[in-house]
Amino acid sequence: ETGVTQTPRHLVMGMTNKKSLKCEQHLGHNAMYWYKQSAKKPLELMFVYSLEERVENNSVPSRFSPECPNSSHLFLHLHTLQPEDSALYLCASSQDPNPTDTQYFGPGTRLTVL
Amino acid sequence: LAKTTQPISMDSYEGQEVNITCSHNNIATNDYITWYQQFPSQGPRFIIQGYKTKVTNEVASLFIPADRKSSTLSLPRVSLSDTAVYYCLVGENTDKLIFGTGTRLQVFP
């Protein structure tokens, strides 16, 4: 257990559906991250939040919409996704948004878009 | 941006020492080098981090030469449970956080 939980662990959705991924960290960290991991590709940083403020958005399509209501919770709202969006979505947290700070990852949500 | 290059895969046997090298020719002065381990369908787990020379913890050692253009993760006496993908990460700022393609280590009995 890393102190970072994600729900659901698996999600299958159609291209017209709207769903949300949830991440919660119990570590008292200030920074939270969303990553995407596709098959045979490197981890891709999607969003970074620091103290509930978005500090980084790596050219992610608008069909992915993050929300950080407080420093312990992070959501990723999904709508009108494409089959190529099928991937493992990982949430992470660290004390601060500094690469020298260790990031603690959740188990991930395996998303399949039909 | 500091890009990393690692071998795609490596094989080893239980009890052997495994060394995985990562190249990062464009590493910036303030960049740290971090290694993560990832099992299938799980998030990466922090292994070790260093800036220069050698760092050792209970899990691994990290060797960094003086020019810092590469680094070597050393796993002593690997076991079957060390079978995983190992990522080399180099980054100074959040917007430069770049994971390498990873090295898939397979440990055989």
Side-chain angles (χ1 to χ4, degrees):
Chain A
E1 290 295 326
T2 62
V4 180
T5 58
Q6 290 185 242
T7 55
R9 294 295 307 277
H10 300 272
L11 178 62
V12 180
M13 58 187 291
M15 289 189 285
T16 59
N17 291 156
K18 290 185 180 181
K19 297 287 184 183
S20 295
L21 310 184
K22 179 183 177 182
C23 176
E24 183 174 359
Q25 58 99 357
H26 311 275
L27 302 169
H29 288 165
N30 297 320
M32 296 188 76
Y33 310 78
W34 277 118
Y35 286 88
K36 175 184 178 182
Q37 187 169 38
S38 304
K40 300 181 181 180
K41 291 179 69 175
L43 278 170
E44 300 173 56
L45 179 63
M46 300 175 71
F47 301 103
V48 181
Y49 275 82
S50 175
L51 295 172
E52 305 144 45
E53 296 289 327
R54 188 188 308 180
V55 297
E56 185 61 36
N57 175 356
N58 281 351
S59 303
V60 179
S62 59
R63 56 186 184 270
F64 295 91
S65 176
E67 179 190 0
C68 189
N70 55 63
S71 59
S72 298
H73 294 86
L74 185 64
F75 295 88
L76 187 63
H77 304 299
L78 316 172
H79 63 97
T80 59
L81 294 192
Q82 304 298 312
E84 58 265 28
D85 295 323
S86 298
L88 180 68
Y89 288 85
L90 292 161
C91 173
S93 73
S94 64
Q95 186 60 55
D96 292 297
N98 186 338
T100 60
D101 287 355
T102 302
Q103 292 190 25
Y104 295 82
F105 284 79
T109 295
R110 175 70 62 185
L111 173 67
T112 302
V113 181
L114 302 176
Chain B
L1 300 178
K3 180 179 178 180
T4 60
T5 303
Q6 304 174 231
I8 294 175
S9 64
M10 295 181 69
D11 292 337
S12 182
Y13 291 94
E14 283 190 292
Q16 290 188 333
E17 178 184 79
V18 172
N19 296 307
I20 306 174
T21 297
C22 178
S23 297
H24 28 79
N25 292 318
N26 297 327
I27 189 170
T29 302
N30 296 327
D31 284 351
Y32 279 74
I33 302 158
T34 310
W35 285 80
Y36 287 83
Q37 174 192 56
Q38 186 178 22
F39 299 110
S41 298
Q42 294 186 28
R45 182 175 72 103
F46 171 87
I47 299 177
I48 197 166
Q49 184 180 81
Y51 182 78
K52 62 178 179 180
T53 63
K54 176 184 175 181
V55 180
T56 298
N57 61 22
E58 65 277 5
V59 177
S61 294
L62 179 60
F63 298 92
I64 305 170
D67 65 6
R68 304 200 329 119
K69 294 183 182 296
S70 67
S71 59
T72 299
L73 175 73
S74 181
L75 305 173
R77 297 180 299 281
V78 294
S79 63
L80 295 176
S81 62
D82 292 317
T83 294
V85 178
Y86 292 83
Y87 290 96
C88 169
L89 171 64
V90 177
E92 175 188 6
N93 300 315
T94 302
D95 61 350
K96 299 178 182 178
L97 206 65
I98 301 173
F99 277 75
T101 54
T103 298
R104 187 172 302 275
L105 173 66
Q106 179 69 53
V107 179
F108 295 96

